[in-house]
Amino acid sequence: MLTIMPAAGFAQEEIVKVLAKDGSSFEFAISGIDRINFGAQTIDLVEKNGTASSLAYNDIDRILIGDNKSGINHIAGKGNIAIYPSVTTGPLTIAGLEAGTEVELFDIKGVSIVKTTAKDSSISLNIADAPKGVVIVKVGKHSTKIFKK
């Protein structure tokens, strides 16, 4: 499944985002966090109001500290591929990939602009040389479009 992320326009509050292995996610505003305790079996996020949330390491896929709160739910679900931002001058980020996945960008006429193979779960592409307008992003057998400003 491809998920295209919204353009700018959302609040950019920094958060701590915990992505669970079951696909769920938990968000905490950094401004509201007092401390993060890394225990032997769990991680505890203690908020300034005294509320504590405890998560077992075995249940956590990853923790993103300093992520922007922007309505982005990419990376949360296994098998989801996120392409963001959807309106950009660059760079373009593609996350949720499997190593070896082919990624190709085309202009509106179908001319290939960039072609690469993912070496990791996330790549960042410089699209500065791409023409302005609609750019087709093909990830594996799926495709979507973004807008290059």
Side-chain angles (χ1 to χ4, degrees), residues 23-36:
S24 61
S25 65
F26 307 91
E27 294 181 1
F28 305 87
I30 286 182
S31 61
I33 301 240
D34 181 47
R35 66 185 176 278
I36 301 173

Side-chain angles (χ1 to χ4, degrees), residues 14-51:
E14 288 189 334
I15 62 169
V16 173
K17 186 171 192 174
V18 180
L19 304 172
K21 289 181 181 175
D22 68 2
S24 61
S25 65
F26 307 91
E27 294 181 1
F28 305 87
I30 286 182
S31 61
I33 301 240
D34 181 47
R35 66 185 176 278
I36 301 173
N37 298 324
F38 294 90
Q41 303 285 326
T42 63
I43 180 173
D44 301 315
L45 285 92
V46 182
E47 297 180 60
K48 290 180 179 174
N49 66 10
T51 304

Side-chain angles (χ1 to χ4, degrees), residues 103-107 109-116 136:
V103 176
E104 191 166 9
L105 277 61
F106 300 90
D107 67 15
K109 297 175 187 172
V111 176
S112 180
I113 303 166
V114 174
K115 185 173 184 176
T116 188
I136 309 299

Side-chain angles (χ1 to χ4, degrees), residues 12-135:
Q12 293 298 309
E13 179 179 12
E14 288 189 334
I15 62 169
V16 173
K17 186 171 192 174
V18 180
L19 304 172
K21 289 181 181 175
D22 68 2
S24 61
S25 65
F26 307 91
E27 294 181 1
F28 305 87
I30 286 182
S31 61
I33 301 240
D34 181 47
R35 66 185 176 278
I36 301 173
N37 298 324
F38 294 90
Q41 303 285 326
T42 63
I43 180 173
D44 301 315
L45 285 92
V46 182
E47 297 180 60
K48 290 180 179 174
N49 66 10
T51 304
S53 298
S54 182
L55 301 157
Y57 290 123
N58 290 340
D59 296 332
I60 298 171
D61 179 43
R62 66 189 84 167
I63 300 171
L64 307 170
I65 299 176
D67 201 19
N68 286 323
K69 181 164 183 66
S70 63
I72 294 175
N73 290 322
H74 68 283
I75 317 172
K78 273 196 168 175
N80 286 343
I81 298 171
I83 301 170
Y84 57 96
S86 59
V87 178
T88 186
T89 57
L92 180 67
T93 300
I94 304 172
L97 298 167
E98 290 185 21
T101 302
E102 290 196 9
V103 176
E104 191 166 9
L105 277 61
F106 300 90
D107 67 15
I108 196 68
K109 297 175 187 172
V111 176
S112 180
I113 303 166
V114 174
K115 185 173 184 176
T116 188
T117 301
K119 294 181 176 82
D120 201 354
S121 63
S122 178
I123 61 173
S124 181
L125 299 174
N126 178 354
I127 62 167
D129 293 336
K132 291 181 181 182
V134 175
V135 174

